[in-house]
Amino acid sequence: MFALLCTFSWQELRHHPWRTAAAVAAVMLGVALALSVQLINASALAEFSGAVSAVNGQPDLSLRARQGGLDDALVERVAQAPGVAAASPVLELGTSATTGGAGAKRIAVRLVGVDALSVALVSPALMPVPAPAVEGEQRSRFDLFAPDAVYLNATARQALSNGAAAPATVQIQRGLGLVDLRVAGSVNAPGAPMLVTDVAAAQQLMERVGTVSRVDLRLRPGTDPATLLASLGLPPQVIAQRPGEDGERADNLSRAYRVNLTVLALVALFTGGFLVFSVLSLSVARRQQQIALLGVLGLSAPERMRLVLAESALVGLLGSVLGIALGTGLAALALRLLGGDLGGGYFSGVAPTLHWSTPAALTYGALGVVAALVGGWWPARAAASMAPALALKGLGPVNADGRRNHRIAIALMLLAVALAWAPPVAGVPLAAYVSVGLLLVGGIAALPLAVGVLLDRLAPRVARRALPLLAVERSRRLRDTAAVATSGVVASLALSVALTVMVASFRDSVTQWLNGVLPAQLYVRSGGNGLGDGQTLPPDFVSAVRRLPGIERADPLRATTVLIDPARPAVTLLARPLAHDDAGVAGQHLPLVAPAILPPTGTKAVPVYVSEAMVDLYGARPGSWLDPLASAFPRLPDATRFFVAGVWRDYARQHGSVVIDLADYVRLSGDTRVNDLALHLAVGADEDQVRAAIRSLAQSSGAQDLIEFASAGEIRAISLRIFDRSFAVTYWLQAVAIGIGLFGVAASFSAQVLARRKEFGLLAHLGLTRQQILGVVALEGLAWTVLGALAGLALGLAVSVVLVHVVNPQSFHWTMELALPWWRLLALCAAVVVAGTATAWLAGRAAASRDAVQAVKEDW
């Protein structure tokens, strides 16, 4: 019997290819997008973790500073501790390298200093491999410790070779200068471009004498790490990490972005479920007499239900198989063309290969089948509850349980509102996502009620016009059919409206935020400053810039990182001059979410301003003490504590940032290094002349190519361009969702007009012309799509409130104001209405062109 049902279902799908294609395409696209996001992220994360594991090796423990570097005196003390087999110091800094000469390109690299005597025991991939000596060349075995020798990994060698032989020398940037180094060999470390040298040479080269980034430890067999750490008595600024935590932090860094992309990808699958529901509901209605005949011939109600479910399962299976293939291809193409950063910049520089995951493919394939089965459940119930005798005569209950459906719809929407207030689960807004789904399901379930209310008020207005009256009355009497036909377009339009509002709100908030955090007209920094903490501006250069004509004030800016929680990404510490008002409250030039408060009197309180992420992740609320920040200041005076004076919006650093006045930072840390200069120009000063003067200063030391300028307007433009690129996938998903919805409308109208041939024949006998019949169909399409557009707009606005005020704060830990781009929303709705009306008209042409007499004879 099951095989017979499957055969019957397959024949039904095969004889209506366009209707079947609509449902299959929706499921296929949802599965493909979700699987491609999963494969891209898994491949990038695996590549990143593999590179980190190869470079860092597998030490038993790694000692790091919470902020800055470690005193290299710690290396000798730790190496002599009982239970330590080897202690390998590592200094790692970001900089840039070039081969020099005209036309030579400059690339971002990591300069890694290692101890050749110990690194092989802990991180063999970082062990320098001297190049074989060529004829007539002398190679010294002490090149491993030579201050002018570096070793390139394969990525750096390829990037610097320009298609020719490997370079013999490279130039490394240090501040605003270049240092020539000799390429003495290679290292086997994978990943981003890397240059390895002796740790002492790296300290001298980058002016980090006495400092290392970490100390990797290999313990003797049987040594307990906890006992060893207790015996070492490390200061609180030093933390011990186990292997693999770098990969875990990278996973945490991209998790929220990854989850949101996956949910957006499942939006198409969600819409596909509604489209399957729409197509099968109309299919069951069109085949009512056929299914009733099967019932008379002995097919029981459960078997009729399984018949429709078999059709939906076949749709889901076809869509899932095609979706898995398409998703794999999309993932491979994206990894080849875009890398693995998913538009969010989390894995920039990583060029992974595709890591196929059978469990992920089976999971998303199963989701596609489940979505199709859920979409086919209600049509299957309708087929099972059909009374065969009445159905054979074209009779049957219409909306028999409509009141119960309305109660269920209202209950679902009330539950959605309640879930929107629920807290996140493990940092993921699961309840909010469920709330969005319930809002859509409940809103679409309430469509018949909304259709009835609107059409009841519209009917009296068209009572004197025959064609509009026919269209409105038919839609009014068959409101369930209208609701089913428009459910796909309502779901897709609602999600498109929600994404449009969310992106517009975010973009508007980012624009306002940029206006607040960019007070200066011009910014200048070292060309390698974006590569990490390795590059700063020399003090004499900063002093010379301040004395240039046309510059009213030059504010130095300092940025560094603090590892408050080893399991989470580092927090950014920003030191900048802060304005003070008459009451002595700082932070007036920061985009604060509420007025700042004064520190308590009689204490050595240093006011700091935290981003919204710090409140959610670390509980740093205004008026509290941020004691973990003390780890950034090893020589903090006694009784000095950091007071949270305010919370500011920071859209650039998702995992937390802290702002401190520059004077307080220099006083407490003694660090006078400068990452950027914010230049406030004098009234009437010419920006181009100021740039030329600064470039002339750099040219005097041969560093004219190592200076980067950016005006506030350029930074805004670049930031918004990056924003648009990051959200490009949402724009594409909107178009895809609308396309799927309109495809569903086309399939629905096609099925209906074929089932209404007798009706059209009767209208033709009553005197209506072909154009008038097409006009009735087009007016029905207009009425239905207008109702669908109104319902989709209302549902989309409700969903956007949840996305803006719940999902974004819980996922990314920042808030924003709701912005409604009305013209864009109205244009979106108008496009749906026009496309839906045209689709209905085109679908009606085939049925209206058939012979009217033959159509009426079929009714005899």
Side-chain angles (χ1 to χ4, degrees), residues 700-779:
S700 62
S701 57
Q704 65 273 11
D705 295 330
L706 303 181
I707 290 292
E708 290 183 356
F709 297 96
S711 65
E714 291 171 344
I715 296 176
R716 290 189 193 95
I718 293 172
S719 301
L720 293 177
R721 188 162 58 247
I722 294 173
F723 175 92
D724 292 335
R725 184 187 65 189
S726 299
F727 281 91
V729 65
T730 63
Y731 302 138
W732 192 65
L733 281 173
Q734 290 179 50
V736 167
I738 292 294
I740 290 175
L742 291 177
F743 203 2
V745 170
S748 301
F749 272 104
S750 297
Q752 285 203 43
V753 295
L754 289 175
R756 294 167 60 191
R757 288 177 55 208
K758 301 169 187 177
E759 176 186 337
F760 293 149
L762 180 60
L763 291 175
H765 275 288
L766 292 176
L768 269 68
T769 65
R770 179 174 180 269
Q771 293 302 321
Q772 288 174 323
I773 294 174
L774 288 177
V776 172
V777 175
L779 286 174

Side-chain angles (χ1 to χ4, degrees), residues 498-534:
L499 291 176
T500 299
V501 173
M502 184 196 70
V503 174
S505 300
F506 197 8
R507 200 178 195 279
D508 186 65
S509 298
V510 168
T511 301
Q512 296 181 17
W513 173 74
L514 288 171
N515 293 335
V517 298
L518 297 173
Q521 295 97 317
L522 186 63
Y523 293 82
V524 60
R525 68 177 187 178
S526 169
N529 192 22
L531 308 171
D533 196 34

Side-chain angles (χ1 to χ4, degrees), residues 55-217:
V55 172
N56 292 352
Q58 289 296 321
D60 298 307
L61 285 175
S62 289
L63 304 182
R64 298 176 181 266
R66 292 185 181 271
Q67 189 273 331
L70 295 172
D71 189 338
D72 62 3
L74 181 67
V75 179
E76 184 177 355
R77 180 163 72 91
V78 171
Q80 294 176 353
V84 176
S88 175
V90 178
L91 176 64
E92 185 172 353
L93 296 169
T95 183
S96 66
T98 181
T99 54
K105 60 181 179 180
R106 189 157 54 99
I107 65 168
V109 298
R110 285 188 296 161
L111 181 68
V112 181
V114 300
D115 181 1
L117 299 178
S118 60
V119 70
L121 300 175
V122 180
S123 305
L126 289 179
M127 182 64 192
V129 179
V134 297
E135 185 178 353
E137 181 184 16
Q138 294 292 327
R139 290 283 186 179
S140 171
R141 59 180 178 176
F142 295 107
D143 270 353
L144 295 176
F145 311 99
D148 65 337
V150 292
Y151 299 81
L152 281 59
N153 71 344
T155 310
R157 188 166 57 251
Q158 181 179 4
L160 292 170
S161 63
N162 287 324
T169 61
V170 295
Q171 292 181 327
I172 300 298
Q173 181 181 353
R174 178 179 62 191
L176 293 184
L178 295 172
V179 180
D180 292 320
L181 296 175
R182 174 172 50 90
V183 177
S186 62
V187 291
N188 294 321
M194 178 187 301
L195 278 63
V196 176
T197 187
D198 179 65
V199 63
Q203 290 175 330
Q204 188 71 32
L205 176 66
M206 302 304 291
E207 299 177 343
R208 296 291 195 274
V209 175
T211 301
V212 294
S213 301
R214 69 177 189 270
V215 181
D216 294 332
L217 303 181

Side-chain angles (χ1 to χ4, degrees), residues 582-600:
D582 295 336
V585 179
Q588 297 305 302
H589 287 170
L590 292 175
L592 300 178
V593 299
I597 58 178
L598 289 171

